[in-house]
Structures are given as structure tokens and as C-alpha cells.
Amino acid sequence: MAGAQPWSRDGVGFWQDLWRTRIYRLFPAIFIYVACLTLLAPLKPDMMTDFFASTMLAEKVVCLPLDERQACQDAHSQVVAYSSLSDFFANSFFAFLLSPVVGRMSDAHGRKPFLLLSFLCSGAQAVAMLLYLRCGVSLLWFFPAQALYGAFSCISLALAYVADRLQPCHRAPAFGYVMASLCVGVLLGPLVGGSLNPETAGWVACGGVGFCLAYTLVFVPESLNRPAQLLARQQQAAAARAGGSSSLMSGLRMLGRSRLFLKLTLCVMTSGMATEGIVTVLTQYLQLKLGYVTSDQVKLCVIVGAAGLLINTVLLRCLLSWLGRVRLLWLGLAATAVQMGALAWVPSIPASFAVIALGQLGNVAFPAISAIKSSLVTETEQGTIQGALYGAKALAQGMGPLVFAALFSAFTRSDSKLPFFPGAPFVFCTVVLLVALGLALSISPAEVEAARADIPTLIEPLLLGKDEEKGLPEAGKLPPLGAPLDLPRDALPCFKLPPSPPASPGGPLSLPRSLP
């Protein structure tokens, strides 16, 4: 089918490429990072509800499943309100401002330092919980810690790391394996956390963050070699001398460089607003409507992790080969819209498990968009495009929780004049996702291929490891901005260039336009 991606070219397959480039070393770091975060996931909803109910009544309160006491019922909306504010600052302020800047800086200085910073910030939530349990510090400090973690998410950096080392024909499935690493963390983290008391879980999470930092420092190689970093710095400096804007604006301006980029960006922002808003509401909704307890939260996390792992490691490869990246985006958005509509009227806990598991098929949408956009920029812009894309998504994600928290509060608070209908945010989410799906349907595979034909043909030395730098110019002898960079013809792993007469001295090296 048109748009499908080959899994090998000239004998160099996907798995061989992962091994050759050592991309596989990144996956355990992502897994440990997410496992540390999700250790606290099954414990947090009950702890938060009890904290806010106790604060309202000025005494210790333990809310029971389906508790009809006014303080417990209103505590759910308070948790959602504070979480939405935290998400707003984390996404619409910190991540929106910082992600494009960090992405652009990582193009010039390497991915590894910023990955380490992201992993370090992820431990703030566990520290806040320990301070509450051990020292009596207000649990409200958990929300600024959550915002700090969101401001330095490692996802965009991980996607840029993969794009640095792999050719376009292998990026989309590798992006899927990044998401699969997340799913393994979501699968195992709550299982461990649910069997621990909150204080022990906090200490284990802190220890896991320390281990993640040490592992990354020792075993994860830098994806950009020094000539590639220097070339990116030269290009950015030349753009600044030419009157270019700041790193933030340069990254965001890239998202609007064509109608196709605008449609993809709007699709990411629309779907991101809807899904992030629902994530903020979901656990409190399930507690309030279905009476979820800690064991149910653990089961839910395990189901989400297992379903996501299956989709990203097995189904994604098959669907990508069958449908191609654009149609895969359509499928992901449609699956999420159906899931949200079903959750609005879900009748029981087992039914909620089934709906959420099937809806994980929607996880293929973001890797599809990331793969499309990474194939439409030059190799020295991978960090910039992933950071800008994540920043735009974060802006919309910050607005989503505010809107969905207001809806949830309006339809659940005891003093509201509206009918009690906690599923209202899910109905609204379905409508928003249908709008995103409409935007995605306006993008055709032919439009993406036409845009690829307009990519500059300059090839940068991003894909080469330390053993393959012999064919590169020395760091101090790189050509000026805009000049061609001569590489060995066998330097690129996914394909071999067709035989052709020798190029004239200084002539550009072009890629075949049929490359997916």
C-alpha cells in the first residue's frame, strides 16, 4: 500500500540498525525513568482525596469507595482543580517555553546532558511525597514538583536521539519502541508501588532516579558526534547573525513553515488538549463513578502498560507496513475518540478496564506524527523539530486540564445547579478528538511525499558513530553554512545510493526522492 515503510534496505534491517547504532541502550533508561514515576501512581489518588477532605474538615478523614460525605465528594473536584493548575504551568508555561529551547540547544550541544537533567527533575515528586509523610510538609508541594517534572520531559529528547542515529525508514518503529519502554515502566512501576506503603514507595522512587542517572551517564552514548554538534552551532550562529529570532521562536516558527506542518501541529495540539485534560480527570472520575480503590488503580496501570507494550512492539510494526504513517495517524485518533465516548457511560469496573485497554490503540498517533515531521526536516534540525512539536503540544495540554477540570467540577460538586453527570468531560473530549480527526483526514500520503521532495539535500554527519568519522571533515574545517558536506557514499545504513557518474568537485550529494 502507498505510504508503507520498508523494514530493510540492501540487507540492513531494523534490528541490525538498532544494534549497530546502540539505540537499544536508551530503552532501559526510559523504562527506569517511567517506573520511578509510576511507583506513586496507585497511591496518589487516595492520598490526595484524603488530604483535601481532611483539610476541609480540619480533622483526619479517610474517604471510602463511593463515599457520599460532602467533604469526600468535593475533594475529588479539588484534586482535579489543583492538578489542572499544575498541568497548566508545567505544559503551557514551562514546557512550552523550554521544550523548543532545549531541543535547539541539544542540536548544538548533544542530547545526553539534557536527558540527565530530565531524569533528575523526575525525582521531585517522590521528594515532595517523602517530605509530606516524614516531616508533615503540605502535600500541596507535590503539585509544583509535578510541574517541574513536566517542564523537562525526556520524551522529545528521546525521539530526537532516535532520529539522530536512524534513517527515516526505521524511525517510526523505533519511536514505537520508545513508547513501548514507557509502557513497560507503566506496567511494572504500579505493581511494585501498589505492594508498598507510601513512604517506602517514595524511597524506592528516589533510589530508582539515582540508578537511572548513573546508568545513563555510563552506558548511554551521545547520539551526536562533535562535528555534527559543531555544524549545528555554525548554522544557528549564522541564522542569528542574519537577524534570526530566539531559540524559542525559531523552533516554533518551524512548525508553521508550510500548510502541511500547520495541519500536523494543529492536529497534535487539538488531540493533546483533549487527552491531557482527560488524564487529569480520569482517576478521580473512576473513584467517584465506579468506586475505584488502590488495587483497581494498580490493575488499570498494568492493563494500560500491557496493552501499550503489545501495540507499540507488535501491532505498530504491522500497522505501519500496512497503512503507512498518515493512515496510522487516522486510526490512532479514531480509536481514542471511540474510547472517550465509551468511558462517558461506562457501567462497571471490568467494562472500564476493557474500554481503556482497547483505546490504547490511540497511542500510535503521536509516533506517527513525530515520524512524519522528522522526515520533513534536515538532519541538523531533529532536536529543534521534536522540541518545538512537544512545546506546541504542551501549550495545548496545559489548557486542556483547566477546561476539563471546570467541566468535571460543574457536573459533580454538591453545590452545583447542573445535574450530576461526571461523564460530561468525556463527551466533550470525544467532540474535540473528532475535530482533530477531521484535521488529520485533510492530510494525504501524497501530500507528505510531495513535501519530502522539497527537503534540502545537504546530508549531515549525525548518523555516524565514532568508528565512522574518518570520512568527515575535521571539526575546525567544516564547510560554511549552505555549502555541501561530502560524505562517503556508503555512510548511510538504510540504503545505498544508485551508481552515478562522479559529481563535480564541491557538488551536492542528493538522496533519491523515493526514500520513505
Side-chain angles (χ1 to χ4, degrees):
M1 182 174 291
Q5 301 299 298
W7 293 98
S8 66
R9 285 182 179 268
D10 295 332
V12 180
F14 174 66
W15 295 108
Q16 183 181 351
D17 216 8
L18 283 185
W19 180 264
R20 184 190 67 84
T21 58
R22 294 179 290 179
I23 289 290
Y24 66 92
R25 295 190 184 182
L26 176 66
F27 300 150
I30 300 295
F31 154 67
I32 298 167
Y33 162 79
V34 176
C36 293
L37 292 175
T38 55
L39 271 172
L40 311 177
L43 307 171
K44 187 175 69 172
D46 288 343
M47 187 181 298
M48 289 289 183
T49 304
D50 294 346
F51 171 77
F52 280 101
S54 300
T55 301
M56 280 187 279
L57 296 179
E59 62 181 39
K60 180 66 175 178
V61 175
V62 177
C63 295
L64 303 173
L66 300 176
D67 201 318
E68 296 183 357
R69 286 178 290 178
Q70 181 176 336
C72 291
Q73 183 172 332
D74 291 346
H76 293 293
S77 61
Q78 280 198 295
V79 173
V80 170
Y82 273 90
S83 295
S84 66
L85 285 173
S86 171
D87 288 340
F88 172 77
F89 282 105
N91 291 311
S92 290
F93 185 70
F94 292 120
F96 171 70
L97 293 177
L98 292 177
S99 290
V101 176
V102 170
R104 190 171 172 84
M105 290 178 66
S106 71
D107 281 337
H109 302 286
R111 315 293 182 204
K112 190 170 178 177
F114 298 96
L115 281 170
L116 290 169
L117 176 62
S118 174
F119 295 153
L120 180 63
C121 291
S122 68
Q125 296 179 79
V127 172
M129 181 174 287
L130 285 174
L131 289 174
Y132 167 69
L133 295 170
R134 297 276 297 180
C135 307
V137 176
S138 174
L139 194 55
L140 293 177
W141 284 103
F142 186 90
F143 296 105
Q146 183 174 287
L148 179 64
Y149 143 71
F152 293 98
S153 174
C154 74
I155 303 305
S156 63
L157 290 167
L159 297 180
Y161 186 101
V162 169
D164 291 339
R165 307 289 289 176
L166 300 179
Q167 284 293 301
C169 61
H170 290 158
R171 285 177 190 164
F175 289 165
Y177 274 84
V178 171
M179 306 308 292
S181 301
L182 299 177
C183 293
V184 175
V186 172
L187 176 65
L188 298 181
L191 279 176
V192 176
S195 64
L196 304 174
N197 63 61
E199 184 175 339
T200 303
W203 285 114
V204 172
C206 288
V209 169
F211 180 81
C212 185
L213 288 168
Y215 172 87
T216 304
L217 191 62
V218 175
F219 294 106
V220 178
E222 174 57 59
S223 63
L224 294 177
N225 57 35
R226 296 181 68 84
Q229 296 174 34
L230 179 57
L231 182 60
R233 290 198 293 271
Q234 286 181 342
Q235 291 184 335
Q236 292 174 15
R241 288 193 300 270
S245 52
S246 65
S247 295
L248 171 63
M249 295 310 300
S250 296
L252 295 178
R253 189 172 63 245
M254 182 184 294
L255 299 178
R257 63 169 46 167
S258 69
R259 290 187 63 186
L260 174 59
F261 269 54
L262 278 174
K263 287 190 285 188
L264 287 167
T265 301
L266 290 173
C267 187
V268 167
M269 294 179 71
T270 308
S271 60
M273 183 190 77
T275 53
E276 184 68 18
I278 281 299
V279 166
T280 305
V281 170
L282 182 61
T283 55
Q284 298 300 317
Y285 168 76
L286 295 173
Q287 276 188 313
L288 181 61
K289 180 177 174 64
L290 301 178
Y292 264 48
V293 295
T294 298
S295 60
D296 297 317
Q297 301 285 357
V298 172
K299 293 175 185 176
L300 177 64
C301 291
V302 170
I303 289 170
V304 168
L309 182 63
L310 174 66
I311 289 166
N312 283 292
T313 57
V314 179
L315 291 183
L316 179 61
R317 298 180 63 186
C318 300
L319 292 172
L320 186 63
S321 296
W322 181 37
L323 299 175
R325 292 167 295 189
V326 176
R327 295 181 181 87
L328 189 64
L329 171 61
W330 300 346
L331 176 64
L333 292 173
T336 307
V338 171
Q339 177 196 45
M340 295 304 160
L343 280 174
W345 287 278
V346 68
S348 64
I349 291 177
S352 70
F353 290 157
V355 169
I356 291 173
L358 294 174
Q360 295 308 300
L361 187 60
N363 287 340
V364 301
F366 189 66
I369 291 179
S370 297
I372 292 171
K373 283 212 165 184
S374 74
S375 70
L376 299 177
V377 298
T378 60
E379 299 299 340
T380 51
E381 297 176 312
Q382 292 299 328
T384 304
I385 188 59
Q386 297 297 348
L389 187 63
Y390 188 83
K393 181 184 178 185
L395 176 63
Q397 285 178 328
M399 301 301 297
L402 295 177
V403 174
F404 285 88
L407 273 174
F408 186 75
S409 179
F411 282 91
T412 59
R413 284 189 65 87
S414 58
D415 56 356
S416 175
K417 296 181 180 179
L418 295 173
F420 181 78
F421 180 47
F426 293 87
V427 175
F428 180 67
C429 183
T430 303
V431 174
V432 174
L433 285 168
L434 290 175
V435 172
L437 179 59
L439 286 168
L441 290 172
S442 70
I443 301 169
S444 67
E447 184 179 6
V448 174
E449 292 305 314
R452 279 192 49 78
D454 295 329
I455 303 174
T457 57
L458 178 67
I459 301 176
E460 317 299 4
L462 299 180
L463 302 176
L464 308 181
K466 292 181 178 179
D467 297 334
E468 299 171 296
E469 292 181 4
K470 296 179 182 179
L472 296 176
E474 296 179 10
K477 300 180 180 180
L478 285 171
L481 178 69
L485 183 65
D486 293 326
L487 292 180
R489 293 180 59 82
D490 60 351
L492 300 179
C494 277
F495 59 91
K496 294 181 180 177
L497 296 175
S500 60
S504 59
L509 183 63
S510 300
L511 298 182
R513 290 187 177 184
S514 60
L515 180 68

